[in-house]
DNA sequence: CAGCATCGTCGATACGCATCGATGATTCCC
DNA sequence: GGGAATCATCGATGCGTATCGACGATGCTG
């Protein structure tokens, strides 16, 4: 592997000059720059990351802490991971994967060994054991999700409250006076991620404002739970029923349950679910969805991280950003009157 | 951050002694070791990764190249990623994420900058453009998947041929004389990953050996394609029909199609699909599955990589490992006679 | 044309660790 | 009990880059 010294020699300049050509931190004459660039090209020189980190005190690596095999929702997690990684590259950084089975020790490790310049944490719980660590580390930390006490932390998430509001508003506009919200599955609610509460709160706020009724019903991944919830919903509804099922697994089960009762989506009943546009279109009856913008949340998370890194701010920061959600009408909801 | 020099000072020894205590590459007296370990503990010393990489010419990082948002199968990819990351930790390595939108240039980059000691590539296609690069890099590369020409490469994958064979054998044993194999969805087959061919070949081999008939039918993510395939299958079957649907998306559609025709799984018709045990059990009729062992494939990939790294073998290697698949009977297949 | 600021480049040093050769301290054997 | 072999430790050096101070060259001002 060629070093910057080799490049310097080939270009007939000092090693430091090569460094300055690369960083642009000092003026270099056009002539010298050309010579150096030619030498770099010819030797296919690439700076050594270890040496750069050692001398420059910057690794250009961001640690991403991913949840430990939650067995469910792997697909949506992958979307975050994938977008985070490619966005990081746009900011000239790489992503190091840290699995959550290392726990808080993992955070201390990568920061202590200076493998990473900063950390992005996913799947933040209400009372997350990683929070005290996040606050005490002297590197920037960005949370995807919002804990109960976000003080001293930098958080970003989809605006679940807005999402809940939008769903109710739209269904109310379509003429529904009773709207049933199916909860996320137990595996999610047990994890005490508070986006569930935020979503529910949004539905309540909208309901109150519009004078419609919102029913909160239990979710589950078995048919029976959903079936019971649908029973309850139908029993308390006069007029055509409406459902909001933000959990992807549940919306599948719900749709099947409704059609087995002979109810046609978009005709006898409205359903708003959550899915990528592609998947939503693929359904026999294209699904109206609330898009929680995972890609945009991921991009913002990386962007915020890189801003913090640039600001070189070791002191604690605090901010909270909510990404607006988008509701899309397809065929599974009644048309507004 | 404390350095090994600080530790040495605190313990009253030379810096090199601290290094030897940590690496164990030279004998150290019990007494000295204790002193050094105490100092490390007290200062919460952690070696600087950059310096270590620079001096030791080893980063302890493995690059993982993940496919670029294929929009489908994200869930299963995440399972690979997750297991690879935690297995790597067991071998004292970390995982750096490289998204495939960087293409071959990304490989050159991470190797050239010496960010990684080796690379694991996923989702290998028959004629993958990354193969020439993989062969020419002077770091170990492990492929998950098998290209058309695996010469000079280290490959690992599930034994799809065995999987195909097993499925047919089991259905034949259950009394089926005509067995329909539904192809993967076009999004997969268009990618020219050859596990599809290997699986199909396995089914043919078993069919020939057992004297049963195997029908290969097109797959798709829309109802109509599957429905047509089922029509064809039923038309050519005397006795009870049997289906093999290794594509996860397709098996869902297939199951629904069959029940809409009034056929009960495990009673009127056999279906073998592919799913994690958890998901398979969750179905209304628990699904008999062929397990393609993604976790085991991931573990092996990391293990092989670490062996190559240990052997310090820069020269090209060549090997091919197939992980045995496991077939599990649940209720969606007829019982053997 | 002397004096001074500006520009472009160089040499030296630091970053933190691994490793090699050397050196003193022990132990062993005849 | 003296020389060889072994053991435990130290000091010095190198890994490749970033950065700082210094310095010669150039341009400008009065």
């Amino acid at each position: 592997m060629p070093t910057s010294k080799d490049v310097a020699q080939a270009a007939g300049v000092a090693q430091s000059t090569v460094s300055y050509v690369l960083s642009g931190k000092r003026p270099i004459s056009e002539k010298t720059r050309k010579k150096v660039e030619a030498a770099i090209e010819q030797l296919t020189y690439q700076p050594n990351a270890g040496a750069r980190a050692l001398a420059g005190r910057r690794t250009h690596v961001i640690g991403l802490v991913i949840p430990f095999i939650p067995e469910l929702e792997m697909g949506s997690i992958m979307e975050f991971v994938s977008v985070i990684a490619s966005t990081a590259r746009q900011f000239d950084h790489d992503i190091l994967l840290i699995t959550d089975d290392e726990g808080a020790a993992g955070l201390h490790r990568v920061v202590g060994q200076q493998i990473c310049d900063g950390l992005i944490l996913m799947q933040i719980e209400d009372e997350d054991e990683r929070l005290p660590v996040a606050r005490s580390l002297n590197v920037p930390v960005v949370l995807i999700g919002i804990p109960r006490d976000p003080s001293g932390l930098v958080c970003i998430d989809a605006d679940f409250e807005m999402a809940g509001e939008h769903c109710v508003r739209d269904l109310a506009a379509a003429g529904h006076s009773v709207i049933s919200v199916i909860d996320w599955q137990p595996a999610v609610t047990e994890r005490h991620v508070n986006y569930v509460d935020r979503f529910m709160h949004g539905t309540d706020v909208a309901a109150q404002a519009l004078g419609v009724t919102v029913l909160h019903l239990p979710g589950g991944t078995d048919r029976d739970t959903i079936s019971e919830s649908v029973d309850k919903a139908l029993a308390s509804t006069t007029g055509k029923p409406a459902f909001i099922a933000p959990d992807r697994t549940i919306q599948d089960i719900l749709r099947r349950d409704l059609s087995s009762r002979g109810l046609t989506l978009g005709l006898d009943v409205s359903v708003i679910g959550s899915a990528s546009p592609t998947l939503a279109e693929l359904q026999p009856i294209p699904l109206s969805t609330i898009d929680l913008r995972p890609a945009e949340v991921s991009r913002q998370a990386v962007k915020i991280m890189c801003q913090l890194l640039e600001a070189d701010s070791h002191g604690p920061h605090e901010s909270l950003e909510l990404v607006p959600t988008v509701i899309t009408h397809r065929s599974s909801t009644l048309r507004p009157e």
Side-chain angles (χ1 to χ4, degrees), chain A:
Chain A
M1 295 275 179
T3 71
S4 61
K5 208 162 133 190
D6 298 329
V7 173
Q9 199 164 357
V13 301
Q15 178 267 327
S16 56
T17 303
V18 174
S19 185
Y20 286 122
V21 166
L22 254 22
S23 71
K25 293 197 178 174
R26 282 205 183 167
I28 297 288
S29 70
E30 192 60 22
K31 208 180 70 186
T32 307
R33 171 182 294 113
K34 284 270 148 78
K35 275 193 302 184
V36 171
E37 280 167 354
I40 288 177
E41 181 84 7
Q42 198 221 319
L43 297 176
T44 66
Y45 163 74
Q46 300 198 247
N48 178 292
R52 206 143 77 107
L54 184 57
R57 321 177 142 281
R58 273 268 132 80
T59 65
H60 293 263
V61 172
I62 299 168
L64 176 64
V65 183
I66 57 172
F68 178 51
I69 321 188
E71 177 79 36
L72 292 157
E73 317 226 10
M74 294 263 246
S76 59
I77 290 173
M78 190 63 202
E79 182 163 3
F80 281 96
V81 173
S82 177
V83 174
I84 286 174
S86 54
T87 307
R89 281 307 304 146
Q90 291 170 18
F91 287 90
D92 193 32
H93 282 260
D94 274 299
I95 292 295
L96 192 89
L97 228 48
I98 302 152
T99 55
D100 218 358
D101 50 350
E102 274 199 82
L107 309 189
H108 278 123
R109 182 177 66 82
V110 292
V111 172
Q113 298 185 175
Q114 297 174 63
I115 303 181
C116 295
D117 296 335
L119 291 175
I120 297 179
L121 308 195
M122 294 179 61
Q123 199 84 43
I124 298 297
E125 298 181 8
D126 256 355
E127 309 286 350
D128 206 295
E129 56 151 20
R130 299 168 297 181
L131 298 184
V133 185
R135 271 185 264 250
S136 71
L137 291 174
N138 61 344
V139 299
V141 178
V142 172
L143 311 185
I144 298 183
I146 304 175
R148 187 182 310 284
D149 173 18
S151 66
L153 296 169
V154 175
C155 307
I156 178 165
D157 204 353
D159 191 338
F160 278 85
E161 184 160 350
M162 175 196 267
E165 273 192 60
H166 273 181
C167 290
V168 168
R169 278 184 193 285
D170 274 42
L171 290 173
H176 297 283
S177 58
V178 178
I179 296 162
S180 305
V181 185
I182 313 278
D183 203 354
W184 270 261
Q185 56 186 291
V188 171
T189 54
E190 278 160 14
R191 226 184 290 133
H192 301 293
V193 284
N194 68 14
Y195 59 76
V196 175
D197 298 338
R198 286 184 279 139
F199 186 86
M200 296 306 174
H201 185 243
T203 61
D204 290 338
V205 167
Q208 191 137 25
L210 300 170
V212 299
T213 306
V214 162
L215 299 176
H216 296 287
L217 300 171
T221 50
D222 55 317
R223 252 188 195 178
D224 295 343
T225 308
I226 300 305
S227 209
E228 274 175 41
S229 287
V230 173
D231 286 340
K232 284 185 208 155
L234 296 183
S236 347
T237 309
T238 59
K240 297 184 176 174
F243 292 90
I244 303 173
D247 188 310
R248 294 190 181 194
T249 311
I250 287 177
Q251 84 198 354
D252 277 338
I253 305 175
L254 174 66
R255 287 208 320 274
R256 267 181 264 174
D257 185 274
L258 291 173
S259 40
S260 77
R261 290 169 192 255
L263 297 172
T264 303
L265 267 57
L267 208 60
D268 310 314
V269 54
S270 287
V271 171
I272 296 181
S274 152
S276 71
T278 326
L279 268 177
E281 296 288 357
L282 271 180
Q283 304 303 328
I285 295 176
L287 186 68
S288 299
T289 54
I290 178 76
D291 182 354
L292 297 167
R293 318 277 314 279
E296 185 57 24
V297 170
S298 303
R299 265 191 290 273
Q300 287 296 326
V302 174
K303 200 169 148 192
I304 292 172
M305 168 59 69
C306 290
Q307 283 168 355
L308 290 175
L309 288 175
E310 207 147 350
D312 199 29
S313 52
H314 288 302
H317 274 248
E318 180 172 333
S319 70
L320 180 56
E321 172 141 356
L322 296 175
V323 173
T325 55
V326 173
I327 197 161
T328 306
H329 290 277
R330 292 195 183 82
S331 314
S332 70
T333 41
L334 299 182
R335 305 196 154 276
E337 286 159 349

